[in-house]
Amino acid sequence: MPLEKLVLTGTPFERGVTHGETFEAKIKENVETYLDRFAEHGLEESRARELAEEFIPIFEETHEGFAAEMEGIAEGSGLPLADVALINARYELIYGAFSSEADEGESTTDAGVDGCTSFGIQPEISADGHTYIGQNWDWIQALTDNVFVMDIRREKKPNVVALTEAGIATGRKGVNEHGIGFVANGLVTPEDGKNQRRKPYMVRCREILDAERLDTAIEPVVATSRVCSTNFLIGHSEGEMINIEAAPETANYLYPEDGLITHANHFEDRTGVQSEFEKLIPHTLYRASRMRRLLGRARTTGTLDVEAIQSALRDHFSRPSSICRHVDDALTERRNNETIASLVLDLNERKMLATQGPPCQSAYQEFVVAE
């Protein structure tokens, strides 16, 4: 099934209305899907809705435009603003639950949590001299059909192409007209979710895509403390890139080695942090090294091109817990995850190649930032 693309123009509120009207049914589905998944991880619906209400003023305080876009989505979809806030704060809500599960030693056989695998390639080693970043985005199987491409066209801020979920007021990963792109992976520490009154993760994603320089893309991640841990891989078309392992109170920085960097869902640098996600998903401990090995093999033969990157993203070593993630028959349907999208960002061409669903089953489509 091809990915849907939605062109968004006008003010933040107007973009939100267009978004809400276009994906009304899918946004409602996402609310129910997240409420179900929250409950699976011990966060009951009444408490999830209460927390979502509390996040509304936090969005308003940290990013006026983001809050206006959420209001537009609510207006266009006919949903309460709190339901839209629930989706947009879903990272803080669910990763706090993951932290509790890891701390309590929850069984990995029914964890049902995500596991993205990311990469960055500098121009010195790519076959065409371009800078690439990308990832397989592993998440709730039921959301696969509700992922779409935002084609954002603005006068005073950068144009963007990015992947997101119906109801979320920003691209979750993508590239802008200045050749700045990013992808993100979940991380977990015992401190996640303990302080909710901080800039939400989705607002930080929005600010990265709004940046015109690499320093202003990095700033939203590192300038303020965070609610939950996240790994951000941010790159620039001239070949500079940084991987930021951001815990609530500290951030560790990784850089490419021999032109290449890969990352999964555990802290590579343990300085000042206690990495917890591997307790729930031990496959994080091999996916990044597997990706590095596959891409490195292509580098040594001079064939590290888009085809080689896509081939690595289709890798099935240790399936279903592979780089190309598939549903696990041992898990309940409500907890099952798969690769819901795969993306390759060519930062020089300002374009995104992306699939809907696992890349072994779907063709990559091309989306280019509007000039």
Side-chain angles (χ1 to χ4, degrees), residues 208 211 213-223 234 242 244 253:
I208 294 170
R213 307 189 313 267
L214 188 57
D215 61 316
T216 55
I218 295 170
E219 182 180 7
V221 179
V222 302
I234 305 172
I242 181 171
I244 307 171
Y253 311 115

Side-chain angles (χ1 to χ4, degrees), residues 66-344:
F66 193 101
E69 199 147 340
M70 287 202 321
E71 291 170 2
I73 292 170
E75 176 75 18
S77 65
L79 285 170
L81 180 59
D83 279 5
V84 177
L86 182 142
I87 299 175
N88 281 272
R90 64 87 162 161
Y91 192 92
E92 284 76 12
L93 298 182
I94 204 163
Y95 271 77
F98 290 166
S99 178
S100 297
E101 286 189 345
D103 188 54
E104 294 167 5
E106 194 80 16
S107 169
T108 60
T109 59
D110 65 357
V113 296
D114 64 337
C116 306
T117 310
S118 299
F119 68 88
I121 298 169
Q122 293 181 302
E124 290 82 0
I125 67 168
S126 67
D128 59 5
H130 288 194
T131 303
Y132 292 94
I133 65 172
Q135 72 174 176
N136 276 356
W137 176 12
D138 304 342
W139 195 217
I140 303 171
Q141 182 190 16
L143 295 175
T144 303
D145 292 341
N146 293 349
V147 172
F148 75 98
V149 175
M150 283 183 160
D151 182 341
I152 306 170
R153 306 180 185 189
R154 302 176 289 187
E155 293 183 1
K156 295 183 179 180
K157 291 190 176 180
N159 293 338
V160 170
V161 290
L163 282 173
T164 197
E165 305 162 50
I168 291 182
T170 184
R172 297 278 333 279
K173 45 210 78 193
V175 59
N176 72 18
E177 67 177 282
H178 298 291
I180 292 171
F182 88 101
V183 294
N185 302 36
L187 299 171
V188 171
T189 74
E191 302 305 311
D192 290 359
K194 291 186 176 179
N195 189 330
Q196 297 282 350
R197 294 203 62 81
R198 292 175 175 174
K199 182 186 294 186
Y201 163 75
M202 297 299 178
V203 171
R204 298 175 197 267
C205 294
R206 169 74 159 267
E207 292 177 341
I208 294 170
L209 290 172
D210 285 349
E212 297 184 11
R213 307 189 313 267
L214 188 57
D215 61 316
T216 55
I218 295 170
E219 182 180 7
V221 179
V222 302
T224 58
S225 298
R226 297 149 291 274
V227 177
C228 291
S229 303
T230 313
N231 186 77
F232 291 91
L233 176 53
I234 305 172
H236 189 282
S237 58
E238 291 193 18
E240 301 304 329
M241 58 185 65
I242 181 171
N243 188 97
I244 307 171
E245 297 180 327
E249 304 294 345
T250 190
N252 299 329
Y253 311 115
L254 306 175
Y255 298 90
E257 295 181 6
D258 300 321
L260 182 62
I261 189 165
T262 59
H263 209 283
N265 299 95
H266 62 282
F267 284 82
E268 298 281 355
D269 183 348
R270 303 304 178 93
T271 306
V273 296
Q274 180 179 333
S275 183
E276 295 275 79
F277 219 175
E278 52 267 48
K279 295 180 181 179
L280 297 178
I281 49 170
H283 48 82
T284 181
L285 295 174
Y286 61 75
R287 282 184 284 104
S289 60
R290 175 74 176 175
M291 174 66 81
R292 184 176 183 87
R293 182 178 174 214
L294 294 172
L295 296 176
R297 186 183 300 166
R299 177 188 60 198
T300 60
T301 59
T303 59
L304 187 47
D305 55 14
V306 170
E307 184 176 345
I309 296 169
Q310 293 173 348
S311 177
L313 291 167
R314 295 187 180 106
D315 184 65
H316 284 145
F317 171 75
S318 203
R319 180 174 176 162
S321 300
S322 42
I323 291 172
C324 184
R325 179 82 173 270
H326 289 272
V327 297
D328 187 340
D329 292 337
L331 300 181
T332 64
E333 182 178 355
R334 289 173 66 183
R335 283 197 169 212
N336 238 318
N337 293 346
E338 69 174 2
T339 297
I340 65 171
S342 178
L343 67 153
V344 179

